[in-house]
DNA sequence: TCAAAAGTGTTAGATTTACACCCATGA
DNA sequence: TCATGGGTGTAAATCTAACACTTTTGA
């Protein structure tokens, strides 16, 4: 039994997945998700956490199970049933050096190459589940810095759902959600004029959890 | 690795799950889902189909994966990772004799007893996924006979979502879906006056698949 | 001074919800 | 004849979608 991780990140208005070159046979050199075998002493969730930590150096990532993939011949070597997980990370938390060291790359979800074994199917299902989750729960923030502009948030939802949104309607909806707090801070990296920075307040959300985008 | 099956059925305006008494140690005699071990020669989907066939005598059931359950101590005996599946069946297709022979019972989803190991969690997750599926895809028909009345269909959706629906609004929405066809047949078992029987037309649905309930 | 992103309301149309009575029949 | 479930339409309220201009500032 193994675990494979689909790491989603958001950068440059694009939704991306972290992939690398496979380091073992069979399939050495092919594009692949990062994974590992489940130890007898750990649950599969623990295995996924551990694998994510090895890969990113980060703990307590938002992570959800995608499902078990169990075709007999899915792995050209021995019989391996793999459980896929997806995680959402803020790419600015990710150490650029780790990326280079390990030969990993962020690739746009719309330009995914052929991956090893059934990894493309895993990504497909992960994407579907992730989209659904982002529409109904406030987890998109996991893909952004703690402070973000409304334009960034809008670009995120556009990238995830693959369609443009109306700026005024989008902001109207955000204003109704008290748990998306406006700060007095201004971000000037995205424009000359500068944009207010917002933050997600989990407390406020827990008191009145109604989210819909 | 094993597979556990959550069989949903609809009867007497109630959503039910098929459970039985466990026949092996550990946990002999406890209420339990029906399951089996994955053979090395079969995929986990195939294992689920096979297990469902053993249990119901039916093939080609509507079946979806719920997910992998992999706590280290989930099974009091050896380490077993189990993949849960749910299936939708029409209870009138189910041989009543099989039920008695095997000591199985249909229990109301709202009156589920404590089940073996983590089976209650499996049912919980299956239910959540199944509800979501029924809202967005026309699969509820799998829980009904080929011919059904609109009242039966409404009761089904009420049982699944746990809330009453307005009869006129419900029927208005059904009328908009051309793939739910009215026949000239009348069912007199449910009322003195009799009610028209309807059927789901998969062809028509495929031509214009928009379903929402 | 101008290009580029930030910010802001209103209205028409579509969708959703609430609601009450007559019909047909078997017991 | 009456109790039971079958069948039908309308109007108010809510939600959604479309749409354009002013502001700020660094280059």
């Amino acid at each position: 039994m193994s675990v494979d991780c689909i790491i989603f990140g958001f950068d440059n208005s694009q939704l991306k997945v972290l992939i690398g070159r496979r380091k073992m046979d069979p399939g050495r050199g092919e594009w692949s998700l990062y994974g590992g075998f489940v130890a007898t002493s750990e649950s599969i969730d623990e295995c996924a956490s551990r694998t994510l930590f090895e890969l990113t150096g980060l703990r307590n990532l938002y992570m959800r199970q995608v499902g078990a993939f169990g075709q007999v011949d899915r792995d050209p070597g021995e019989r391996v049933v793999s459980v896929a997980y997806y995680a959402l990370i803020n790419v600015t938390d990710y150490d650029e050096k780790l990326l280079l060291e390990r030969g990993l790359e962020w690739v746009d979800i719309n330009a995914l190459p052929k991956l090893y074994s059934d990894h493309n199917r895993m990504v497909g299902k992960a994407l579907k589940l992730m989209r659904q989750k982002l529409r109904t729960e406030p987890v998109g923030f996991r893909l952004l810095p703690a402070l973000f502009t409304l334009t960034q948030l809008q670009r995120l939802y556009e990238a995830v759902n693959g369609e443009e949104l109306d700026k005024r309607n989008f902001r109207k909806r955000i204003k109704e959600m008290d748990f998306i707090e406006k700060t007095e801070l201004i971000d000037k990296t995205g424009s000359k004029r500068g944009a207010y920075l917002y933050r997600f307040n989990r407390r406020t959300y827990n008191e009145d959890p109604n989210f819909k985008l």
Side-chain angles (χ1 to χ4, degrees), chain A residues 21 46 60 65 70 79 96 110 134 142 144 163 167-169 181 191 197 205:
Chain A
R21 293 287 182 176
E46 282 159 2
N60 298 116
Q65 192 188 112
R79 171 90 198 256
E96 189 79 21
N110 300 306
L134 253 67
R142 299 288 194 144
L144 293 174
E163 59 185 19
K167 182 163 58 158
R168 283 181 283 192
N169 292 338
E181 291 178 346
S191 71
L197 286 163
Y205 173 70

Side-chain angles (χ1 to χ4, degrees), chain A residues 170-206:
Chain A
F170 182 80
R171 285 166 184 245
K172 208 185 308 167
R173 291 228 284 286
I174 297 297
K175 266 205 198 93
E176 282 161 11
M177 299 187 234
D178 293 337
F179 52 86
I180 303 178
E181 291 178 346
K182 186 176 187 174
T183 67
E184 287 310 308
L185 302 168
I186 305 250
D187 169 273
K188 308 261 305 184
T189 63
S191 71
K192 294 165 181 172
R193 173 172 170 180
Y196 279 104
L197 286 163
Y198 287 70
R199 82 164 74 100
F200 171 58
N201 187 325
R202 177 163 304 278
R203 295 278 163 71
T204 314
Y205 173 70
N206 288 336

Side-chain angles (χ1 to χ4, degrees), chain A residues 36-55:
Chain A
F37 291 99
V38 180
T40 53
S41 60
E42 65 186 355
S43 70
I44 49 178
D45 280 9
E46 282 159 2
C47 177
S49 294
R50 178 173 61 77
T51 306
L52 284 168
F53 176 68
E54 284 172 20
L55 182 60

Side-chain angles (χ1 to χ4, degrees), chain A residues 89-107:
Chain A
I89 85 168
N90 169 11
V91 297
T92 59
D93 289 345
Y94 198 109
D95 191 343
E96 189 79 21
K97 271 182 301 185
L98 269 178
L99 216 73
L100 292 169
E101 270 175 30
R102 303 185 185 190
L104 300 173
E105 280 190 34
W106 286 111
V107 309

Side-chain angles (χ1 to χ4, degrees), chain A residues 22 25-26 72-80 116:
Chain A
R22 191 170 157 89
D25 281 313
V72 173
D73 59 355
R74 58 175 291 283
D75 192 290
E78 52 182 344
R79 171 90 198 256
V80 181
Y116 175 73

